[in-house]
Amino acid sequence: MSNLGLGRGSGVDYTKGMVLGVLGSGSGSNMQAILDAIDAGTLDARIALVLSDNPEAYILERAKNRGIATGVIDCGGFRTKFPEEIQAITAARLQEAGVELVCLAGFLRLVKQPLLAAFPSRILNIHPALLPAFPGLESWKQALDAGVTESGCTVHFVDDGMDTGPIILQERVPVLAGDTPESLHARIQMAEHRLYPAAIRKVAAELD
Ligand code: GRF
């Protein structure tokens, strides 16, 4: 059941639309926003598979509660590395699930070959800053440290750099006097939840 109180049987046809696969390491609030947009009928898509490199991640719980297939990406104890052979296995799992578009949503490992080659121009990422400003980790802290008055979020195609691929959509977010890292991140996340479904809609329309 979504935040909107809609679920299966709500009139949304879950067999149609772009087939999405989601990779995440954390809470999964962006995946939830995608599901809410699907439930609200504003995004013609379905999520076929959710994978996480963290077996404890709440994103897996959210997906299971919705009856979405889930799996763990076992990186063999490496803390940040995403070994090539594991990327190949991940690509195969996504392909077997019929995934057409891969959405990284708080996924903390760098995607490289062979996953990129399996989904050319079909892997999206959401980043909590107005790229190319503040790539990498904890961008909201980077923005505060830099003293900017505006930050935001970006959805972009993934290439083999860190947060460098072609930009699909951005939303601006003001930095307010007295902001803490937490308050700024929370404001940026509210924008992210609007932006990700809109970016998927845009990509899907272009692929049609
Ligand atoms: C988001 O802020 C996203 O921009 C960043 O990681 C966070 C993931 O949050 N890459 P969630 O797991 O979607 O709640």
Side-chain angles (χ1 to χ4, degrees):
M1 194 64 78
S2 78
N3 290 342
L4 296 170
L6 298 165
R8 301 214 171 230
S10 61
V12 178
D13 185 348
Y14 290 96
T15 62
K16 282 178 44 200
M18 173 81 49
V19 183
L20 308 177
V22 179
L23 268 56
S25 306
S27 139
S29 69
N30 278 287
M31 182 199 67
Q32 186 66 56
I34 294 167
L35 285 171
D36 289 346
I38 294 170
D39 286 345
T42 58
L43 177 62
D44 189 16
R46 71 183 172 91
I47 298 179
L49 179 62
V50 175
L51 297 175
S52 178
D53 57 335
N54 172 9
E56 308 298 325
Y58 187 53
I59 192 171
L60 293 176
E61 217 45 52
R62 291 187 198 257
K64 283 179 200 157
N65 289 340
R66 288 286 300 242
I68 297 170
T70 61
V72 173
I73 300 170
D74 182 358
C75 289
F78 289 111
R79 211 171 53 82
T80 54
K81 199 173 152 193
F82 194 3
E84 230 178 72
E85 63 275 21
I86 308 299
Q87 300 215 24
I89 293 169
T90 303
R93 290 170 92 171
L94 291 163
Q95 283 168 334
E96 278 159 22
V99 167
E100 299 167 290
L101 198 65
V102 180
C103 299
L104 307 186
F107 188 64
L108 295 178
R109 293 175 197 257
L110 274 188
V111 168
K112 300 259 182 195
Q113 307 299 347
L115 188 45
L116 283 175
F119 291 92
S121 295
R122 282 174 179 252
I123 305 182
L124 274 50
N125 182 43
I126 186 145
H127 183 78
L130 292 175
L131 291 172
F134 312 129
L137 292 177
E138 299 193 318
S139 312
W140 55 93
K141 277 193 191 157
Q142 297 185 48
L144 279 182
D145 290 345
V148 294
T149 56
E150 186 179 70
S151 189
C153 49
T154 303
V155 177
H156 64 96
F157 288 108
V158 174
D159 64 10
D160 60 3
M162 190 198 278
D163 304 322
T164 50
I167 290 170
I168 300 162
L169 280 181
Q170 294 186 304
E171 184 170 329
R172 296 172 180 281
V173 172
V175 180
L176 303 180
D179 256 337
T180 61
E182 293 71 30
S183 65
L184 179 56
H185 189 209
R187 194 175 311 115
I188 291 173
Q189 281 221 300
M190 287 174 66
E192 288 185 338
H193 298 162
R194 289 186 289 271
L195 196 69
Y196 219 160
I200 296 167
R201 242 188 336 262
K202 188 172 176 206
V203 171
E206 279 168 21
L207 288 173
D208 250 1

